[in-house]
Amino acid sequence: MMRILLGACLLTLGLPLALAQQAADPAPARSGEPALEAMPLAPGSDALTSSAEDRLSLAIRVPVDGPALVVEQREIALLAGRNQIRIRDLPAAVTDPGLHWQLDGMAGPRRLSRAGSGAWTTTLFAETGGSRQLTLSYAVDGLERELDYRIVLPAAGSADSARVTAAMTLTNRSGADLGGADLSVVRNDGTTTRIATGPQWPDQGRLRLRPGPGASVSLERSLITTARGDLPLASAYLAPVRHHIALGDLPVPPAPDTRATLLGAGNPARPLGTARLVPGANGGTTLIGGRSDALSVRRVQAAYRHGTEGGIDIAWRIEVHNRSGQRQRLHLVEQIDGGWRVEAGEDDWQRTPTGLQREIELAADERRELGYRIRLQR
């Protein structure tokens, strides 16, 4: 009995001593992932947060299509041992950011876990504590770009060129403030424009930039009017007449259907409305839009009646008046859907995949009447 009691006393006294010795002299840490998971967190190591305030640089490349590429560098202080890091202020649309440590040859963590909108967490082991430079690179959607033009047209009859200025609007819909960025925007011709965003570029914020200086561009003027030729019309009406201008080489090549603001020469310049830039029939760029009062085009539906064989006979009379003191060229474009054939006017009109078209020249103050008749199959 005495031996049992004595052994119990020695065990009771030895247990605290062993625990104290273990705390004072821990076993060497093992390398690799199992050792990392087994190592206790140092005090405060679970509170390391990297935010936008820690950024050293931010570079954004915006391509013509697709997501933007973002590379940012931050400074972060690590503790010796295991570190749990929370990375904040990333765009909400980021799905798989890459994380790279550049100082001291440290390898980046294999995996980041989302911890809410714009926040990610990771755990890593550092042999020694101190300041490190963290490089984050990721692709992000939500940087919307829109190219538009400001085009000042010379006076009618003038041999002067048009004055063209390109501008681009970038809208930040990434969910994060991207202020202080070195921004590279790839233009449609593959060249790059670089600008600085300024200290703040918040979510939903817009940047307006000019990819290049304005330029004088040659032009070939004409006018255009478009209409539906397959629909019934209750009464005659004046169809809108727009500018149809073939432009020379633009300083910044446009994408299809790029928007343009038209102005007439003068001081101040006279607003002529908006237009769009489309690929020309023989290459180059054609501007269609704005408004012109040089011509009046009155459309009268001379017939719209159902035939005996189930078709519909449609006839149009189009009255054109050149009210300007200059010779004018007019493109007439008729959209006709469904199956149809031309009954009259075929020699004057050209059939296209979408309907009919015709081009006429009018002298100053000339009036002309033209038309066509079709059989529409419904």
Side-chain angles (χ1 to χ4, degrees):
M1 178 63 72
M2 289 296 294
R3 290 182 179 178
I4 296 175
L5 293 175
L6 181 59
C9 291
L10 290 175
L11 181 60
T12 304
L13 293 173
L15 182 59
L17 181 61
L19 292 175
Q21 183 179 0
Q22 182 181 1
D25 186 22
R30 295 167 293 165
S31 62
E33 193 68 25
L36 180 64
E37 294 300 327
M39 183 172 294
L41 283 171
S45 63
D46 58 343
L48 297 180
T49 300
S50 172
S51 67
E53 296 179 356
D54 303 316
R55 281 180 183 151
L56 301 174
S57 65
L58 177 63
I60 305 174
R61 181 177 176 84
V62 183
V64 176
D65 295 305
L69 176 63
V70 183
V71 178
E72 60 173 286
Q73 293 182 331
R74 300 182 180 188
E75 185 175 19
I76 187 170
L78 298 181
L79 301 175
R82 187 185 184 201
N83 292 260
Q84 178 126 10
I85 300 175
R86 181 180 177 89
I87 302 172
R88 295 177 47 200
D89 299 330
L90 292 181
V94 172
T95 57
D96 187 21
L99 180 60
H100 306 278
W101 293 90
Q102 292 188 342
L103 293 184
D104 302 329
M106 293 189 63
R110 300 177 184 173
R111 182 172 176 270
L112 293 168
S113 301
R114 185 180 289 276
S117 179
W120 298 77
T121 61
T122 189
T123 303
L124 57 86
F125 178 80
E127 293 286 349
T128 59
S131 178
R132 300 287 198 280
Q133 191 175 84
L134 170 68
T135 298
L136 289 164
S137 62
Y138 48 87
V140 61
D141 293 314
L143 298 186
E144 300 177 357
R145 55 183 284 163
E146 181 182 11
L147 181 67
D148 62 272
Y149 288 80
R150 182 178 184 268
I151 301 178
V152 180
L153 300 177
S158 171
D160 293 342
S161 301
R163 187 67 182 173
V164 179
T165 305
M168 184 178 295
T169 301
L170 287 175
T171 304
N172 177 12
R173 302 190 193 279
S174 69
D177 191 322
L178 300 177
D182 179 9
L183 191 64
S184 299
V185 182
V186 181
R187 305 193 302 188
N188 294 328
D189 60 355
T191 59
T192 301
T193 299
R194 296 185 61 181
I195 63 167
T197 63
Q200 292 183 334
W201 187 20
D203 184 51
Q204 306 301 320
R206 303 174 69 192
L207 291 178
R208 183 78 168 167
L209 58 116
R210 299 195 184 282
S216 296
V217 176
S218 61
L219 74 161
E220 184 179 347
R221 290 175 179 270
S222 59
L223 300 170
I224 187 171
T225 181
T226 61
R228 291 291 300 265
D230 57 347
L231 300 179
L233 181 67
S235 58
Y237 74 102
L238 289 176
V241 178
R242 299 176 294 165
H243 295 279
H244 182 278
I245 300 174
L247 296 172
D249 293 336
L250 296 177
V252 181
D257 284 331
T258 297
R259 184 172 57 88
T261 299
L262 293 184
L263 300 169
N267 189 16
R270 181 168 51 95
L272 298 176
T274 59
R276 58 190 177 94
L277 297 169
V278 299
N282 300 314
T285 303
T286 299
L287 181 152
I288 300 176
R291 61 181 182 275
S292 172
D293 55 4
L295 300 179
S296 68
V297 178
R298 183 173 182 266
R299 296 181 60 89
V300 180
Q301 194 169 69
Y304 188 93
R305 55 178 176 268
H306 293 272
T308 57
E309 300 178 359
I312 303 175
D313 292 320
I314 304 175
W316 288 98
R317 187 173 73 251
I318 304 170
E319 302 166 358
V320 183
H321 178 205
N322 180 4
R323 301 186 297 187
S324 72
Q326 306 289 333
R327 189 174 186 84
Q328 302 288 349
R329 185 167 76 253
L330 175 66
H331 300 269
L332 297 106
V333 178
E334 305 285 309
Q335 179 181 340
I336 305 172
D337 293 342
W340 54 276
R341 68 175 183 268
V342 177
E343 298 288 330
E346 189 169 5
D347 293 340
D348 300 324
W349 295 84
Q350 294 179 343
R351 184 159 184 157
T352 69
T354 59
L356 293 171
Q357 69 177 17
R358 184 175 176 181
E359 183 177 313
I360 61 173
E361 296 271 352
L362 295 105
D365 201 37
E366 180 182 354
R367 296 176 181 269
R368 192 180 304 183
E369 183 178 299
L370 51 139
Y372 64 90
R373 187 173 74 249
I374 62 172
R375 165 63 68 91
L376 184 66
Q377 303 294 330
R378 290 296 195 190

